[in-house]
Every structure is written in structure tokens, then in C-alpha cells.
Amino acid sequence: MKSFVQSELLQSLPKQFFASLVDKVGKVVAQGHDVINLGQGNPDQQTPPHIVEALQKAAANPKYHKYSPFRGYSFLKEAVAAFYQREYGVTVDPEREVAVLFGGKAGLVEIPQCLLNPGDVVLVPDPGYPDYWSGVALARAKMEMMPLYSENGFLPDYRQLDEKVVEKAKLMFLNYPNNPTGAVATDSFFAETVSFAQKHGICVVHDFAYGAIGFDGQKPISFLQTEGAKDVGIEIYTFSKTYNMAGWRIGFAIGNESVITAINLLQDHLYVSLFGAIQEAAAVALLESQQCVTELVALYESRRNAFIGALQEIGWNVSAPAGSFFAWLPVPKGWTSERFADLLLEQAHVVVAPGIGFGEHGEGYVRVGLLTSEERLTEAARRIAKLDLFQQAVKK
Ligand SMILES: Cc1ncc(COP(=O)(O)O)c(C=O)c1O
């Protein structure tokens, strides 16, 4: 059969670093080992029943068997506006300042295509969520990395960026609570971001995927709570993490009207919005009791405490994440993140994601997802504790 050559655009897409990890894990599982997989970001809990029931009921409504309105149902955009008002005290116009997305990922990948021309510069956090890179590649734009260091609380230091790069930048991605580091943003950092963006004419895209997940009684702040934020950017929100709806593929963009208009325009050409019943159930998720969210955050916090506590007990100097469902662990001296992840897989049958997969500045760390039971997490810590090499390296 003839094999057609992929377009230059497809060939320019970043290689999926984590695909090779999946292969390695598959081999160890195939050998019959009991593998504890902490390498992924797929929520393990179910969608709360009242949301599932809303979908079941709505699925029978013939109205939703027709095409949905191109830019989504107004009731969903109104629910989004009510949610932002209630949770963050942020007021938006539901028709002009909200765009319905096929999951957060879709929006993040679309935005560079909406705003950039080939060769335009985008500031991207390093380490960071690799899907930002995909959107930049599809827009044929150029990435410039903003290093995130632990001494700055994994917030970029705008003063350290090359002025020439900053002058050219048109777009910037931020993400707090952060994947992979678990760091959270501060009011002053967001205020600084708004002035930086205003000064340099940069559009800020704040990825708020883990917006609901903050620990120790600290609710993560929305970028839009910062004065002037709507003038310079948008926030991307997803139902995947807050309501365990990763398989449903729904999210929204909220904020600056011109960016929302651009997203809607691109989507007019790509899709005919989402299944109306999903939109109805999503509105239920936003508007009804948030007890399920409170319980979910408590579950992750308890897992975090158990896992981080167990690692600290064995002498591994790790810090507890302030938000998200990830822990970002420094690898022992003398190890690369990939070799250390291989060691954990081969000798402890524990899967972690090597930091290098999130960018050059992810080197020196591995990422753990707190997405399995406390028992399995502490079992993982027990297995790690038994490794001779680990003990020697850590206790040096
Ligand atoms: C930082 C970050 N942003 C966005 C997403 C996208 O989530 P979704 O496409 O499921 O809405 C994820 C998912 O893992 C993520 O970790």
C-alpha cells in the first residue's frame, strides 16, 4: 500500500517524550510485575453522580440531537460567568468573554494559531506542560523558555529574561497551580505579570487546569482576579480535574474579548460546538453543590501528606506541593531524571515521569501523580526506601 508522506507541519511537531516511557512500562508489566504507575496525570476518581445523571437525562432530549449553536449554548456560558462570580468575584460578559472548548488542551493548542504569525515569539514556562509546545509548532511560531527555579517558588523571573526576546514576544503561557511542580501563584506575581504584559504588549494565557486544587486551606487564585488582567489575557479552565471529567472533553476560555472572539472564529471553522447534553451537564457541575470538589481536594491532600511524609521519613528531602495533584521530587545527586526514573521502574516497579520530559529545566526532578490510593502511594515509598542505590545516594 502506498504510504503518503506527512506534511512538513506534522513533521515539525514536537516528539512525544512520554511515549517511550509508556513502552518501557508496558515491558515491565508484561513481565508480570505489580507496577505502581505514578507517571501519568489521569484523574482516578469518577465524575460525581449528579453530573453523570444530568448527562443521562439530557442525552434523551431531542433538542440536543441536532447541531448545537456554533459557539455553544448560552446557558453554559451564563453558568461559567456565574461560577467565576461566585468562586473568584470576577465579572464577565458570558457572550463576549467566554468561549466553550473541547477540553483545555484544545484551547491551549488553538490560541497560538489564533494570535500568531509564523516566526512570532511565545514565552513558555520550563518546565511546563508539553502541549504548549504543540500549539506553538502548529502556528509555526518560536518558543522562548522562561526557566522556573525552586528558589523563586517556580514562578518565572521576568527581569532575568533577555530584553530582545521580551520585545519580540506576543504571547505567554503560565500555569498555576503548576504542572509539573505543584507550585501556586501569588497576588503580587500576577500583578507583576499584568504590568509586564501591558508594557510589552504580550497576551497572557493562564492555564488554570488545577484551579480547584489548593492545599492547606489555600484556594488557588485566578489570574482574572488581578486588576487589569482582562486587558492583557485570558484564563483556560477545564472540567477534567475539578469534576473528574477528563474523558468528557470540555473546558472554557474566559477573559479578554478580542482573544475570545479569535478562538470562536477559529472554532467556527473547525467544529460545531460540543454535544448539547454535555454542555447541560457541565452547567450542572458549575452551578450545583461543590461538595464533591471539597471532598476531592481533601482526598488529594491526604494522599499528598501520606506520600510526602513517607518519603521524608526515609530521608528523601522532598517538599509538599501547594496545589495540583503532582509532587515534584529532586533526584539524588549524580542521577539524571531519566536514569533515576528507569531505576525506580526496573528495581521498585514504580513509574514516575522524568523531569526532562517537561523541558530542560525539568532536569534534576521527577514528577509523581497522586492519582492512586494512599496505600499504593505508601507502598511505592516503601519500595523506593528498599533500593540500595537510592539509600546510598540520598544519605550521602
Ligand atoms: C497543565 C495542564 N493544562 C491543561 C490540561 C488539559 O486538560 P484537558 O484537555 O483535559 O482539559 C492538562 C491535563 O493534563 C494539564 O496538566
Side-chain angles (χ1 to χ4, degrees):
M1 208 196 319
K2 180 169 166 53
S3 175
F4 293 95
V5 177
Q6 290 177 353
S7 66
E8 284 167 16
L9 184 62
L10 283 199
Q11 291 183 47
S12 76
L13 290 176
K15 299 282 165 280
Q16 286 281 357
F17 176 87
F18 293 105
S20 67
L21 180 67
V22 172
D23 289 345
K24 284 183 198 168
V25 175
K27 281 188 194 130
V28 180
V29 171
Q31 287 161 7
H33 296 295
D34 169 30
V35 170
I36 304 178
N37 193 340
L38 310 177
Q40 289 167 342
N42 205 349
D44 63 313
Q45 298 295 294
Q46 292 178 8
T47 308
H50 70 284
I51 305 173
V52 176
E53 280 154 25
L55 172 67
Q56 286 167 330
K57 203 161 144 236
N61 185 345
K63 175 171 110 176
Y64 296 138
H65 302 169
K66 303 183 171 178
Y67 290 118
S68 300
F70 267 53
R71 296 185 173 191
Y73 279 99
S74 293
F75 66 73
L76 175 57
K77 291 182 269 187
E78 283 157 17
V80 166
F83 172 79
Y84 258 65
Q85 189 70 62
R86 186 190 71 219
E87 295 292 326
Y88 305 110
V90 168
T91 308
V92 295
D93 178 324
E95 287 305 326
R96 294 164 183 272
E97 295 175 332
V98 176
V100 178
L101 301 173
F102 287 76
K105 172 175 172 145
L108 292 164
V109 173
E110 284 163 13
I111 284 162
Q113 299 172 75
C114 289
L115 300 181
L116 302 178
N117 294 312
D120 281 348
V121 170
V122 190
L123 300 174
V124 178
D126 176 4
Y129 178 57
D131 282 341
Y132 308 138
W133 315 342
S134 317
V136 176
L138 285 171
R140 296 184 158 97
K142 192 166 171 264
M143 282 203 291
E144 291 287 351
M145 296 308 196
M146 297 188 290
L148 308 185
Y149 297 112
S150 74
E151 53 271 31
N152 295 336
F154 296 109
L155 302 169
D157 182 350
Y158 299 130
R159 283 156 306 186
Q160 296 298 318
L161 301 177
D162 181 338
E163 260 177 47
K164 284 195 200 108
V165 166
V166 170
E167 260 163 41
K168 284 197 214 142
K170 286 198 172 171
L171 189 68
M172 169 166 72
F173 285 104
L174 290 176
N175 164 227
Y176 295 97
N178 184 256
N179 176 7
T181 67
V184 295
T186 58
D187 294 329
S188 59
F189 169 70
F190 276 159
E192 196 191 333
T193 301
V194 169
S195 357
F196 176 75
Q198 266 162 350
K199 182 166 171 213
H200 301 286
I202 296 171
C203 174
V204 178
V205 176
H206 179 236
D207 178 0
F208 205 30
Y210 299 92
I213 311 171
F215 302 132
D216 307 312
Q218 297 294 315
K219 184 182 167 90
I221 48 174
S222 157
F223 176 60
L224 297 183
Q225 287 173 294
T226 317
E227 204 176 327
K230 230 202 276 178
D231 294 334
V232 296
I234 61 161
E235 197 148 74
I236 300 283
Y237 199 95
T238 171
F239 290 75
S240 297
K241 324 285 172 176
T242 310
Y243 303 105
N244 295 318
M245 290 166 65
W248 296 48
R249 310 311 308 137
I250 178 161
F252 55 86
I254 179 165
N256 185 280
E257 184 179 342
S258 64
V259 181
I260 297 299
T261 305
I263 294 172
N264 277 329
L265 178 61
L266 179 65
Q267 294 195 151
D268 284 348
H269 291 267
L270 292 174
Y271 322 109
V272 188
S273 196
L274 292 90
F275 182 31
I278 290 187
Q279 297 188 45
E280 187 169 316
V284 164
L286 296 175
L287 296 177
E288 291 195 1
S289 165
Q290 301 297 298
Q291 184 57 27
C292 54
V293 183
T294 311
E295 285 167 12
L296 186 67
V297 175
L299 177 80
Y300 289 140
E301 183 161 337
S302 159
R303 288 176 178 179
R304 176 200 71 158
N305 294 346
F307 184 64
I308 296 291
L311 293 184
Q312 286 171 343
E313 251 170 53
I314 63 170
W316 192 351
N317 185 17
V318 295
S319 324
S324 84
F325 47 52
F326 297 113
W328 188 236
L329 312 175
V331 303
K333 279 211 175 63
W335 289 83
T336 67
S337 61
E338 204 171 1
R339 276 186 53 234
F340 186 62
D342 285 347
L343 174 85
L344 294 189
L345 174 62
E346 283 154 20
Q347 297 193 12
H349 307 138
V350 171
V351 185
V352 298
I356 188 72
F358 301 94
E360 200 182 305
H361 289 86
E363 187 49 278
Y365 292 88
V366 291
R367 190 195 72 178
V368 161
L370 303 168
L371 300 170
T372 185
S373 67
E374 241 169 84
E375 292 70 37
R376 293 290 277 172
L377 286 165
T378 41
E379 163 67 12
R382 259 197 302 275
R383 291 188 195 174
I384 293 169
K386 281 194 200 141
L387 297 177
D388 283 355
L389 262 174
F390 173 83
Q391 295 223 342
Q392 283 161 16
V394 167
K395 287 187 172 162
K396 244 184 216 171

